[in-house]
Amino acid sequence: MTAPPTLPKFRQQLILAVLMVCSLLIWLDNTVLSVTLETLADPVRGLGASPAQLQWATGAYTLVFATLMLTAGALGDSFGHRTVLAVGLVVFGGASIWAAYAGDANQLIAARAAMGVGAALIMPANFAILLWTFTGPGRATAIAISSTSTGVGMAVGPVMAGLLLSHFWWGSVFLVNVPIVVVALAGIVLLVPNFRSSAVRPLDPAGMLLSISGLAAVTYGLIRAGQVNSWGRLDVLAPIAAGIVLLAAFVLVEFKTKEPSFDPRMLAQRMFGGGNLSMALMLFSVAAVTFFNAFYLQGALGYSPMKAGLANVPTAVGAVIGAPLGQRLVMRWSLRPVALPSLTVAALSFGAVGLLGLHTPFVWIELLLLLQGLSVGMVMAPVTGALLSSLPLDRSGAGSAVTNTARQAGSVIGIAVGGTILSIAYRSAIEPSLSDVPAALRDSAGASAEQARHVAATLHQPTLAKAADHAFIHAMHVGAVWTMLIALFAVAVLVFALRPSGKTQEPTPEPDYEEARSAESPSAA
């Protein structure tokens, strides 16, 4: 098999810059929405979206992203990674325009799902092109440089969203994606060869349909519980049960598939299976806390979008510092004494959200957000490296698919469960304050604190707005406790996964991607 041609160094650097723009686009979009949720819930400035619709606006993107990404890599093998990346960018840009001009919350949810399709095509192709472009030690450096786009996106996204919302309408946070897409497309067409593998992987349409329908059904049931204020109704339990059956069928189909896009056998390995479950549970908690925080800063505390965006910067700073710090400490002390305390601190920091209130000093909020980002970064990066390094090199691609899917699924369920707990606890707390509200507006005020504040302004009842703030704080505290418990369970799972095997093990060597790539013969266009 022949190796891919070595590109001139300057062209490699330009390709890396283009790939970083593509990655930055995904991370910007992930972070700008959290600052926009409060505005979208406002009946005047936004779409008057209900809590359930906001959960779907966030979760639809992640759900499609998680499931479609399983087979997106195979498309690159068949049609070329540059082609798939370009198509993904076009889909993402077009869906961004749709989202910006959505006429109601349901249109926005559909547009967000379409954006998830684009993101699922972008991410695997982006990483594949990076691996084909760089060789030897230069590849490790390129991966490290490329990963900085994550931190940049996390830091810039909330601030950019706050700036746009302060001067333009809510759709501008999606429309800003379009010029970035245009720049990225120009760079791809002019600079990137159309690398593809001679060993074409088959597509997995059955697995894709079962996974997306199963996860969607479970998510629908969990969100529905918040809408009807009950966990025991048939319209809650039936979709959850149906989703579990569909996901079980998905696992059975993948067991029988010769080349599955998601190989469940890998989860039987204690380190790989337990580690992925632990990280999925942690991201469940991260997603829930992020959802709470979006409404706490702008709704309960009354921060402007710009101030809320700036308030989220410490989380990104903590993550950017935590990732390399965690890796460095692991090299000195090993994984277990770094990851377990870091995850424990992360869990306790999620629970500390239950100590926040309407009069908490800004500096304490910032310190807590910094601690959350730092602790999550310190556990996420080294555990991810250890999980993929625990696999044989020829299984690294399949392992990456399993890891990414488990984490995205954890985020989807975290948004659904966290939002539902918030809705049920809020409705229970606000109920006694709705006796003086006209019957026609009572359901609206009981749906969310945002709706209650609007009703209070309409009726000139400042006491109702104050009651809504206190009810939201109570609901957030309830959610924080449950989120902490889930994260502590993640600690217990990680303890099991990292349990010493009883025999001395040599440190896992860095995967030799060069050896893996020599087994393939790409063609460049």
Side-chain angles (χ1 to χ4, degrees):
M1 298 293 180
T2 60
T6 301
L7 300 173
K9 187 174 181 179
F10 181 65
R11 186 177 178 186
Q12 288 181 333
Q13 293 171 342
L14 291 176
I15 290 174
L16 178 59
V18 171
L19 297 179
M20 289 181 67
V21 170
C22 296
S23 180
L24 178 65
L25 180 70
I26 302 300
W27 282 101
L28 281 175
D29 185 73
N30 281 339
T31 53
V32 297
L33 186 63
S34 63
V35 179
T36 314
L37 290 175
E38 177 70 26
T39 302
L40 291 172
D42 191 289
V44 178
R45 296 181 298 130
L47 296 174
S50 68
Q53 289 172 323
L54 293 175
Q55 287 170 273
W56 275 115
T58 306
Y61 172 92
T62 309
L63 190 152
V64 174
F65 186 21
T67 51
L68 186 58
M69 193 165 55
L70 288 172
T71 55
L75 293 173
D77 292 337
S78 299
F79 302 105
H81 296 295
R82 182 185 68 182
T83 300
V84 172
L85 180 57
V87 170
L89 285 167
V90 171
V91 171
F92 195 91
S96 296
I97 296 174
W98 183 13
Y101 293 102
D104 55 44
N106 291 329
Q107 287 185 32
L108 177 62
I109 292 168
R112 288 286 296 166
M115 291 175 71
V117 174
L121 295 174
I122 290 170
M123 288 301 286
N126 195 359
F127 190 66
I129 291 171
L130 188 148
L131 294 182
W132 286 118
T133 301
F134 294 90
T135 60
R139 179 182 291 132
T141 302
I143 292 174
I145 294 173
S146 178
S147 66
T148 61
S149 61
T150 300
V152 172
M154 290 175 64
V156 173
V159 178
M160 183 178 70
L163 184 64
L164 290 171
L165 291 172
S166 298
H167 295 86
F168 305 101
W169 96 114
W170 60 266
S172 60
V173 302
F174 299 111
L175 207 58
V176 75
N177 293 333
V178 177
I180 302 176
V181 166
V182 171
V183 171
L185 276 173
I188 290 167
V189 171
L190 295 174
L191 297 169
V192 179
N194 199 23
F195 298 120
R196 72 182 73 182
S197 172
S198 61
V200 177
R201 289 184 290 155
L203 300 178
D204 186 13
M208 183 179 67
L209 289 175
L210 286 170
S211 61
I212 195 169
S213 57
L215 195 55
V218 171
T219 303
Y220 173 82
L222 294 172
I223 293 177
R224 181 63 179 164
Q227 291 177 294
V228 299
N229 200 31
S230 172
W231 291 99
R233 286 179 38 156
L234 182 62
D235 55 349
V236 172
L237 297 177
I240 293 176
I244 292 173
V245 170
L246 288 170
L247 291 174
F250 164 65
V251 172
L252 292 176
V253 167
E254 297 302 284
F255 266 123
K256 296 179 180 179
T257 302
K258 184 177 180 181
E259 295 186 49
S261 55
F262 181 99
D263 191 348
R265 301 171 188 84
M266 304 175 75
L267 297 176
Q269 302 175 37
R270 177 165 57 87
M271 169 66 178
F272 189 79
N276 271 302
L277 175 58
S278 177
M279 293 299 96
L281 290 170
M282 185 188 74
L283 286 177
F284 172 107
S285 300
V286 170
V289 166
T290 301
F291 195 78
F292 303 158
N293 186 54
F295 299 101
Y296 171 63
L297 293 177
Q298 293 186 64
L301 298 185
Y303 287 3
S304 68
M306 188 65 194
K307 186 175 180 180
L310 290 171
N312 281 290
V313 170
T315 306
V317 172
V320 170
I321 295 173
L325 177 61
Q327 293 279 26
R328 185 166 297 183
L329 292 177
V330 165
M331 293 175 64
R332 177 176 296 182
W333 294 333
S334 80
L335 181 62
R336 186 182 174 92
V338 175
L340 292 179
S342 297
L343 186 51
T344 302
V345 171
L348 296 177
S349 72
F350 299 150
V353 171
L355 302 176
L356 301 179
L358 294 174
H359 305 291
T360 302
F362 182 74
V363 65
W364 290 112
I365 297 173
E366 296 301 275
L367 288 174
L368 180 58
L369 293 177
L370 177 64
L371 181 62
Q372 289 176 355
L374 183 67
S375 55
V376 169
M378 287 183 66
V379 68
M380 180 72 77
V383 169
T384 299
L387 291 180
L388 296 180
S389 296
S390 69
L391 299 173
L393 184 59
D394 60 355
R395 304 298 291 154
S396 60
S400 178
V402 171
T403 296
N404 284 321
T405 300
R407 294 179 182 188
Q408 295 294 336
S411 296
V412 171
I413 302 300
I415 293 167
V417 174
T420 294
I421 291 174
L422 198 67
S423 295
I424 293 176
Y426 166 79
R427 192 173 289 115
S428 175
I430 195 65
E431 195 68 35
S433 302
L434 299 179
S435 57
D436 295 333
V437 177
L441 298 174
R442 198 169 296 159
D443 287 343
S444 179
S448 70
E450 289 71 34
Q451 297 283 357
R453 294 186 196 103
H454 179 67
V455 171
T458 302
L459 300 177
H460 304 289
Q461 292 185 7
T463 55
L464 177 59
K466 186 175 181 180
D469 289 340
H470 285 287
F472 172 82
I473 293 297
H474 165 76
M476 185 178 72
H477 289 174
V478 172
V481 172
W482 282 104
T483 300
M484 178 184 67
L485 292 176
I486 294 294
L488 288 175
F489 181 56
V491 176
V493 173
L494 193 60
V495 168
F496 170 77
L498 300 182
R499 186 180 60 191
S501 61
K503 61 182 181 180
T504 303
Q505 293 182 332
E506 294 297 326
T508 305
E510 186 72 19
D512 186 358
Y513 294 107
E514 185 68 18
E515 178 182 341
R517 196 167 73 158
S518 67
E520 299 179 342
S521 177
S523 60

